[in-house]
Amino acid sequence: MGARVFVRCTCLLLLLGSAVAPLCASNVRPISDAERAAVGHALAYLNGGPEALVKRLSPTSPLQKLGPAEAAKEIEVRLGPPGGATWELQTVVGALSDKVGVFDIGFPSGVDETATFELTKNGSDYLIENIRILAEESLQKPVFPPLPKEPEKQEQPFPADNAALALGLIACVAGAGSVFARRSSSAVATLGISAAALLGAGGLAIALLASDHARVVKKPAATQTAAAASTDTFPQLASLLSARRAMASGAELSVVPSAQKTEVAKNVAQLWKAQMDLAQMRTADAKRALARFPVPSTIPMVEILRARAALFEQDETAAAFAYEHAVSLGPGRDGLWAETAHALLALGFEDRGMRYLNRLDRIGSRDADVYYMLSMYNASRNHEEDAEKLLSTAWSMQPARRADIVGAQILWSVIRKPAISTFINLSNPEESTVTSPKTGSRAIDFPNAAMPRVSGEFLDVQIGDEELRVPGGACLAPPGTPAVDAATWSRTEQEKGVQDFTRLVNVASTAGAYTQPVLRRRIVQSAVALAERNRWADLVKLTDGITPKSEFVPPTLFFLRATALERLQRTDEAKQLLMALAAGKVLQRKRDVRALEELGEMLASLDLYDAAVKMLDKAQSIKQSEMVEYTVAQIQMNKRLATKYSTLSSGHFEIHYPEEVPPISAKLIGDILEAELKRMQSWVPTPEFKPVVVNIVWWQDFRSTITGSDFVLGLYQGKITVPLAGVPIYPPEIVAILTHELCHAMLAQATADQAPRWFQEGMARRVEMVGLARNAFNMYDDSKLLAVSLLDPVMRDSPDPEMIGEGYLVAEAAIRFIESKYGRQGLAKMVEQFRNGATTEQAIQALTGAPVAEFDRQFRAWGRSDKRVFESPIVARYDNEEEPTVLVKGAPLALQPVAASTEQQAPQRGKLGGGTLYPMKRP
């Protein structure tokens, strides 16, 4: 997962209320000899197509009996055409690791498949005995028997309460039996406990199902025939080859199941059509097709599609049971367990969802994201020793971008530990490149066209437009395979996301597309990439098909869409979207605290105060947070500011001020802002500056209600809020507060609110008229100085006030470096780049011709060359009490520079709140 996706996907996990034992990483399972051979087979297929696998068939394979040409068709109809496909090796349970290789396959259309290579050892080689797909009947008997056929007439349905009671009794028996079984068989105990949990937690759900005539109905006579298992040793599916190619490319699927010669082919055709129907919101057609199969079915794809259809229709219980039926059919693999875990957690089945995540750890999954998730979970439970081990494991498997690690706020205390800080270094200008000592130790043959790369234990192979991902596969790479850092992976993912937009924009227009995990991940990845590049119009097009009522649409997409609508000045539509999301029950049912908080904050930013408070209260009911209490108080204060305060207009500013403050004081603030707006045009040109609301509040209210801090003296959140009520005069130190927040407002308008946080804060500090300012290079050595690439994540996501303060200082120093080397025109060029949608990396590249890491090195060399206190000459004063009439007219008074010979004499803005400069008390 790229671009903070793994962080967003686990917000729910981190905040669950269920009690789960601490988890610690088991040994990650190495790739077996059979899986090693399977990777070689996958490479051969992606490079040479099905003909390449015909040569790799076991002598006993039923495919051998068909002849090379027919065998190639049977292989392709199962695996799909190689063009543009992405394959990823799955981790299977230990009992299968020497027998199969399982791959998740994503096609360009977004349709997904899981293929199992059944392997036979022939001498030292593992040859292909068979290839199985999800639409074929499982070789493993289902844990749950099919529901009995309903009689012709059912005079009285089984009462719901009796069903729940009966199921509860069964759960008790199963649970009790598992206790005794523990003494003799751990496998039996595990099964008993799982059955007890499943039956007990689902009592009410099954009762509802039993009383619902739509659930258990008399099936048509064709059902038993359509669902019957084939007696063929190898069912032939070549007649479906054109349908498979159409599905992979996204072309219209035209397949007539009844025209197929065998029952297995008819079933597969029916399921593929149902899969496409579901993706294109033909839900009724998909459900009719799935109704032909028993409940539960012995075909994994039937249960997976049932689960996704139930998600689409917001039927939580049916989705949960279908996923668990699919899991029971095997083969046990981490990809399906992860999909099931996320679905169960999202639907509110917390204990059962966590059980599947625990399984991923126990089987030694090679997916690094599993251990990042578990590390965050342990950190959230204050199990920091386990969190540290899990994070170390995850990092060695595949290092993540440091910005993503910082973005997972819950890991902050873990990454500050000495052992972790040695490899997750926040001061290094470049991302770490982790090379596994196992790289190349079990190398396989690679096609000449293959371009392998490794990062930690992760192997990625590109063959033209095709890709093979092998978690834990660095050992299979050829000697000399280049190792790349996490930033390279992130850039690659973002580039793919942007390129994928044109392919996805039509597919994503139907809500059914989001029921498919592979397609859903691609849409999220594309949306994040578009947002990173400020391509808001494209982001709106991509998300046109989503609705707040959909269980399966990640909250991230709604928030990104709302942001995009705001940036496009479609504020009313953004409000409607967020209000619909707030009115629905999806987020509350998911118990996703962070999503509820984010929704509340976004509603507040649009002045929807009451709805915002409701969302934050719901988040508080799930998990108490002191920060949320402050946010609610801040929203309530903003509501009072908008409705209860007096108002005065100065032209470009609408001043809201308490009734106790005389209008002349509000006019004075307006005049100073108007004068500063003119002065700062040379820094941030905004000739058509639009009016901004300025809230003037008392210090006590600001400190206790809005910020909860003595160190924050102003806010800009679309409106300027400053604690200057009752201030009698305005020396430079006080004016600096107004100037700082005004600069934010000017940059927001000059860059369409697209300037990154570090640039905004650095510029806002630079334009303050404070005489002297602290220099970060006097305070931190290189091993502690934050990397430029991490300024934004730290200033946005870190819970550490000290680290945020360091970010502010480094950001100001970076602005001064740009000014010293490129002049104010260099800063103006950066503003222009951000207005055009550039990222920090793109803007710095455009200005300097170098990447961010090189800019960072030059910046450090400049800073170390002359450690001095930064000076900012006082060019205007507004505190000349002898000529108040001049000030009232809005003209700046005579220059009166403030002399200060040492850095220690420079004004400390944080002291203002304590009353050192001016006591801000109500008269």
Side-chain angles (χ1 to χ4, degrees):
M1 302 180 188
R4 301 182 67 193
V5 172
F6 86 86
V7 176
R8 287 294 310 159
C9 285
T10 55
C11 285
L12 175 64
L13 169 65
L14 302 182
L15 300 171
L16 292 176
S18 56
V20 182
L23 299 170
C24 185
S26 58
N27 292 326
V28 177
R29 175 175 292 135
I31 288 178
S32 68
D33 289 339
E35 290 170 322
R36 175 178 179 271
V39 171
H41 299 330
L43 284 171
Y45 186 76
L46 292 176
N47 183 62
E51 293 77 14
L53 291 195
V54 172
K55 303 173 184 178
R56 294 168 175 254
L57 294 174
S58 163
T60 59
S61 171
L63 285 161
Q64 289 282 20
K65 301 175 183 178
L66 303 177
E70 289 303 312
K73 291 180 182 178
E74 292 292 342
I75 290 171
E76 185 182 350
V77 81
R78 285 163 171 77
L79 301 181
T86 298
W87 288 40
E88 182 166 338
L89 180 69
Q90 302 282 284
T91 307
V92 296
V93 294
L96 295 177
S97 61
D98 289 325
K99 301 176 183 178
V100 303
V102 179
F103 295 90
D104 263 0
I105 302 172
F107 299 113
S109 64
V111 171
D112 58 287
E113 179 63 271
T114 298
T116 300
F117 287 19
E118 296 176 355
L119 304 170
T120 296
K121 193 169 184 180
N122 189 331
S124 60
D125 296 328
Y126 283 84
L127 301 179
I128 300 171
E129 183 69 22
N130 201 353
I131 300 173
R132 299 185 61 80
I133 56 176
L134 292 174
E136 294 182 77
E137 189 159 4
S138 173
L139 299 177
Q140 180 174 317
K141 291 184 179 180
V143 173
F144 309 96
L147 294 174
K149 183 179 179 181
E150 187 181 87
E152 290 291 336
K153 292 183 179 180
Q154 183 176 343
E155 298 198 4
Q156 193 170 18
F158 188 50
D161 54 349
N162 290 348
L165 176 60
L167 198 54
L169 291 174
I170 296 171
C172 291
V173 172
S178 68
V179 172
F180 293 103
R182 282 178 179 272
R183 301 178 182 178
S184 58
S185 169
S186 60
V188 174
T190 301
L191 180 58
I193 292 171
S194 298
L198 177 60
L199 294 170
L204 176 60
I206 288 296
L208 292 174
L209 296 180
S211 64
D212 187 347
H213 291 284
R215 290 293 169 199
V216 184
V217 296
K218 179 178 179 294
K219 293 182 171 55
T223 299
Q224 300 304 321
T225 303
S230 172
T231 57
D232 296 343
T233 55
F234 183 80
Q236 296 185 31
L237 305 175
S239 60
L240 296 171
L241 183 56
S242 61
R244 172 61 97 183
R245 290 172 176 171
M247 288 178 67
S249 66
E252 183 65 28
L253 180 65
S254 57
V255 57
V256 181
S258 59
Q260 304 305 312
K261 296 180 180 179
T262 68
E263 292 304 323
V264 173
K266 289 178 182 178
N267 288 346
V268 173
Q270 192 76 50
L271 291 173
W272 284 358
K273 186 175 185 302
Q275 186 177 18
M276 295 301 290
D277 284 340
L278 187 59
Q280 296 171 13
M281 290 185 68
R282 295 192 291 264
T283 314
D285 292 342
K287 289 180 67 177
R288 277 194 295 270
L290 295 173
R292 291 170 49 83
F293 299 89
V295 180
S297 172
T298 55
I299 300 175
M301 190 172 185
V302 172
E303 297 303 326
I304 291 173
L305 291 180
R306 280 177 176 156
R308 295 174 183 175
L311 279 175
F312 180 77
E313 295 193 326
Q314 302 176 47
D315 190 338
E316 307 96 324
T317 304
F321 275 87
Y323 269 123
E324 294 196 336
H325 291 160
V327 168
S328 75
L329 294 173
R333 56 187 175 90
D334 57 354
L336 180 57
W337 289 355
E339 178 181 345
T340 303
H342 285 301
L344 291 174
L345 291 170
L347 294 170
F349 296 92
E350 298 169 357
D351 290 336
R352 284 149 68 182
M354 283 304 304
R355 191 173 299 122
Y356 283 105
L357 284 175
N358 292 351
R359 286 189 190 182
L360 295 174
D361 176 60
R362 287 197 298 270
I363 70 168
S365 173
R366 293 182 291 265
D367 186 349
D369 281 347
V370 169
Y371 300 98
Y372 283 117
M373 292 178 193
L374 295 178
S375 176
M376 289 188 282
Y377 179 83
N378 277 270
S380 72
R381 267 38 180 188
N382 297 318
H383 304 140
E384 291 200 354
E385 184 176 343
D386 290 336
E388 185 177 347
K389 292 176 182 177
L390 286 157
L391 181 57
S392 179
T393 297
W395 186 268
S396 65
M397 293 168 68
Q398 186 182 2
R401 272 197 323 165
R402 293 171 298 173
D404 294 337
I405 300 292
V406 171
Q409 299 180 15
I410 199 70
L411 289 175
W412 190 252
S413 61
V414 180
I415 63 178
R416 302 298 295 273
K417 290 182 175 296
I420 298 295
S421 63
T422 57
F423 57 86
I424 303 182
N425 187 329
L426 302 184
S427 65
N428 193 329
E430 295 181 322
E431 296 284 341
S432 298
T433 299
V434 178
T435 304
S436 168
K438 301 175 185 176
T439 300
S441 60
R442 301 170 61 200
I444 60 177
D445 293 332
F446 278 68
N448 292 333
M451 298 179 63
R453 303 179 298 174
V454 295
S455 183
E457 298 289 344
F458 183 80
L459 168 66
D460 180 85
V461 187
Q462 290 285 153
I463 305 177
D465 291 333
E466 295 73 65
E467 182 179 13
L468 174 62
R469 299 176 178 182
V470 188
C475 60
L476 308 181
T481 296
V484 297
D485 62 30
T488 301
W489 289 118
S490 179
R491 283 193 296 272
T492 300
E493 292 295 302
Q494 284 201 6
E495 288 166 6
K496 284 181 182 177
V498 171
Q499 293 168 4
D500 220 9
F501 163 70
T502 54
R503 182 176 286 160
L504 292 174
V505 68
N506 292 325
V507 178
S509 63
T510 61
Y514 296 85
T515 63
Q516 301 184 69
V518 171
L519 186 54
R520 186 169 63 241
R521 285 195 297 270
R522 284 174 58 193
I523 295 170
V524 171
Q525 178 177 294
S526 182
V528 170
L530 293 171
E532 290 276 349
R533 285 162 171 74
N534 299 304
R535 289 178 54 174
W536 305 113
D538 288 341
L539 178 52
V540 167
K541 288 181 183 177
L542 182 68
T543 56
D544 270 339
I546 67 175
T547 166
K549 296 181 180 179
S550 301
E551 296 272 3
F552 40 82
V553 177
T556 300
L557 286 179
F558 294 114
F559 299 144
L560 288 174
R561 178 173 174 82
T563 301
L565 290 170
E566 275 194 88
R567 297 294 174 85
L568 296 175
Q569 308 301 313
R570 294 163 62 178
T571 306
D572 288 342
E573 292 176 68
K575 288 181 178 180
Q576 292 170 8
L577 173 64
L578 294 175
M579 287 296 289
L581 190 60
K585 297 181 179 179
V586 174
L587 289 186
Q588 294 127 57
R589 183 163 49 246
K590 289 181 179 180
R591 297 175 63 82
D592 188 340
V593 175
R594 183 62 200 119
L596 289 170
E597 291 175 357
E598 191 166 349
L599 176 56
E601 292 163 4
M602 293 192 74
L603 288 166
S605 71
L606 294 171
D607 295 342
L608 300 171
Y609 302 117
D610 294 337
V613 171
K614 283 183 180 179
M615 288 301 100
L616 294 170
D617 285 345
K618 286 173 181 174
Q620 286 287 76
S621 69
I622 299 171
K623 184 179 177 65
Q624 289 291 312
S625 168
E626 186 178 352
M627 289 303 297
V628 172
E629 291 178 7
Y630 277 119
T631 303
V632 170
Q634 181 180 347
I635 292 170
Q636 292 170 338
M637 167 65 82
N638 287 336
K639 183 178 179 180
R640 291 198 301 274
L641 289 169
T643 59
K644 306 273 185 180
Y645 275 42
S646 301
T647 302
L648 180 146
S649 177
S650 67
H652 291 100
F653 303 96
E654 184 180 294
I655 315 296
H656 293 199
Y657 60 97
E659 293 179 356
E660 307 94 313
V661 173
I664 188 67
S665 296
K667 186 175 189 312
L668 178 61
I669 291 173
D671 289 339
I672 292 173
L673 285 168
E674 293 287 354
E676 286 294 276
L677 177 62
K678 293 177 183 178
R679 180 181 72 82
M680 288 199 296
Q681 291 295 322
S682 63
W683 290 94
V684 187
T686 47
E688 298 180 1
F689 186 79
K690 298 176 182 178
V692 171
V693 171
V694 180
N695 296 317
I696 308 300
V697 300
W698 297 101
W699 167 250
Q700 296 98 317
D701 292 337
F702 187 82
R703 193 298 181 194
S704 62
T705 304
I706 297 180
T707 68
S709 169
D710 288 331
F711 304 102
V712 179
L713 298 182
L715 289 175
Y716 176 75
Q717 296 173 324
K719 306 177 183 69
I720 294 173
T721 303
V722 286
L724 300 182
V727 173
I729 58 174
Y730 287 81
E733 295 86 354
I734 301 295
V735 172
I737 300 171
L738 289 168
T739 304
H740 186 105
E741 305 310 329
L742 173 57
C743 184
H744 283 308
M746 296 174 72
L747 279 170
Q749 294 192 23
T751 66
D753 206 15
Q754 296 180 152
R757 181 77 172 269
W758 75 270
F759 188 82
Q760 287 216 24
E761 296 298 348
M763 282 287 286
R765 289 179 64 88
R766 174 65 187 94
V767 299
E768 295 173 5
M769 297 183 297
V770 292
L772 301 176
R774 289 175 289 175
N775 183 345
F777 289 99
N778 290 345
M779 306 174 68
Y780 309 100
D781 58 35
D782 276 348
S783 65
K784 299 295 183 182
L785 194 74
L786 281 173
V788 171
S789 62
L790 292 179
L791 290 177
D792 246 39
V794 166
M795 296 165 73
R796 181 184 61 238
D797 298 320
S798 171
D800 185 340
E802 182 180 345
M803 186 65 74
I804 294 173
E806 179 186 339
Y808 274 65
L809 293 173
V810 176
E812 180 183 2
I815 293 296
R816 289 180 180 272
F817 167 62
I818 294 172
E819 184 184 6
S820 70
K821 188 168 183 178
Y822 301 98
R824 287 194 188 177
Q825 61 269 32
L827 296 172
K829 186 171 183 179
M830 293 283 285
V831 169
E832 181 183 7
Q833 286 291 314
F834 292 133
R835 182 173 61 249
N836 293 335
T839 62
T840 290
E841 187 169 357
Q842 292 168 334
I844 287 177
Q845 181 80 38
L847 176 66
T848 69
V852 173
E854 179 57 31
F855 170 86
D856 198 332
R857 282 188 284 270
Q858 295 177 11
F859 166 50
R860 289 167 190 258
W862 169 83
R864 297 295 174 212
S865 65
D866 185 11
K867 295 183 182 180
R868 61 191 183 281
V869 176
F870 291 139
E871 297 183 7
S872 298
I874 305 299
V875 297
R877 293 196 70 124
Y878 304 94
D879 58 343
N880 189 331
E881 295 181 329
E882 296 179 359
E883 299 184 33
T885 54
V886 177
L887 192 143
V888 168
K889 293 178 181 177
L893 302 183
L895 301 184
Q896 298 181 22
V898 175
S901 59
T902 66
E903 183 179 4
Q904 285 70 29
Q905 291 176 312
Q908 304 294 307
R909 297 179 63 203
K911 298 272 184 80
L912 180 60
T916 304
L917 296 178
Y918 297 97
M920 298 186 185
K921 298 181 179 179
R922 295 182 186 273

